[in-house]
Amino acid sequence: QSALTQPASVSGSPGQSITISCTGTSSDVGSYNLVSWYQQHPGKAPKVMIYEVSKRPSGVSNRFSGSKSGNTASLTISGLQAEDEADYYCCSYAGSRTFYVVFGGGTKLTVL
Amino acid sequence: EVQLVQSGAEVKKPGESLRISCKGSGYRFTSYWINWVCQMPGKGLEWMGRIDPSDSYTNYSPSFQGHVTISADKSIGTAHLQWSSLKASDTAMYYCASSSIPAAGDDAFDIWGQGTMVTVSS
């Protein structure tokens, strides 16, 4: 199972909005509404920002939103803030007969 | 507070064995699957496998099946990831993670350990 495809980097200025794409296949992203997004700051453990394509866990800012179309999921961050600068990983359920999840390669977000 | 606390960093030689741990606290340990995720230096996340602490049933990624063993001891609320023969390519940060979000799938990892860095070098 190959990793999901994400852009290596994206950037934006404070206050702007950015979108990170996550492309999979009909065996993972395209088949299940089980896409999650993780934020990881340097030297820290990942933190879930979005699960089940578009749901936000308690405590996550509503500036973060998720969507999906076909085999591609997207994470949008609106009103960019300096603290949003981090690596972002998408993750999709990909199991057919057994539990399996696959991560994307990660996207480095730079806030200019 | 619900948390996962992992054992400390390890430095090993190729061919040696190793077991690292992940202890749950603040919740009933058998309530959530424990997943293991690795991250090689400067690289992305990769799911390795998971265990149901209530009965020790496991799922493994094909990439790690046969190379690592995931186990759990519910009596002490601890899961383990072990290698019988380490390789230099096993050098990575290893995280344990669980999904505790009500009504969410098992793939929404909202609880993470702090990570255990494993360095394998001769």
Side-chain angles (χ1 to χ4, degrees):
Chain A
Q1 190 84 25
S2 301
L4 307 175
T5 300
Q6 299 180 231
S9 63
V10 298
S11 63
S13 300
Q16 288 185 330
S17 295
I18 63 94
T19 297
I20 300 172
S21 62
C22 169
T23 302
T25 70
S26 58
S27 297
D28 39 62
V29 175
S31 285
Y32 308 99
N33 289 323
L34 294 174
V35 177
S36 49
W37 288 90
Y38 298 87
Q39 176 192 66
Q40 186 179 34
H41 287 109
K44 301 294 187 181
K47 174 187 176 183
V48 65
M49 308 304 284
I50 295 288
Y51 69 100
E52 293 180 5
V53 176
S54 60
K55 297 179 180 178
R56 276 188 309 276
S58 175
V60 172
S61 170
N62 60 8
R63 298 186 299 106
F64 292 83
S65 61
S67 62
K68 191 188 86 167
S69 177
N71 296 338
T72 299
S74 299
L75 173 72
T76 298
I77 308 174
S78 59
L80 269 180
Q81 299 179 1
E83 59 262 35
D84 298 333
E85 184 163 297
D87 294 325
Y88 290 84
Y89 295 91
C90 61
C91 179
S92 175
Y93 182 78
S96 54
R97 292 174 295 171
T98 186
F99 183 90
Y100 180 75
V101 296
V102 60
F103 284 93
T107 298
K108 169 66 177 176
L109 168 62
T110 300
V111 180
L112 302 172
Chain B
E1 179 190 7
V2 175
Q3 59 178 349
L4 297 172
V5 179
Q6 299 185 228
S7 50
E10 301 274 2
V11 179
K12 291 289 189 179
K13 290 180 166 53
E16 292 186 331
S17 62
L18 174 64
R19 188 176 79 166
I20 62 175
S21 65
C22 169
K23 183 173 177 60
S25 63
Y27 70 102
R28 189 175 68 182
F29 184 66
T30 53
S31 294
Y32 313 127
W33 291 77
I34 297 286
N35 296 263
W36 288 95
V37 176
C38 74
Q39 186 170 36
M40 296 176 69
K43 302 298 183 181
L45 304 170
E46 188 170 8
W47 182 77
M48 302 174 71
R50 68 172 189 168
I51 188 164
D52 180 347
S54 65
D55 61 5
S56 292
Y57 181 81
T58 54
N59 297 125
Y60 289 93
S61 163
S63 300
F64 293 92
Q65 178 91 47
H67 185 56
V68 298
T69 300
I70 297 172
S71 61
D73 185 339
K74 62 183 178 182
S75 69
I76 57 171
T78 301
H80 302 283
L81 178 66
Q82 67 181 63
W83 296 259
S84 59
S85 181
L86 286 160
K87 304 175 183 178
S89 57
D90 293 319
T91 294
M93 179 71 83
Y94 293 89
Y95 294 100
C96 57
S98 290
S99 174
S100 73
I101 300 174
D106 290 336
D107 61 298
F109 306 139
D110 63 314
I111 310 170
W112 290 75
Q114 82 276 22
T116 297
M117 184 66 206
V118 173
T119 303
V120 183
S121 174
S122 54

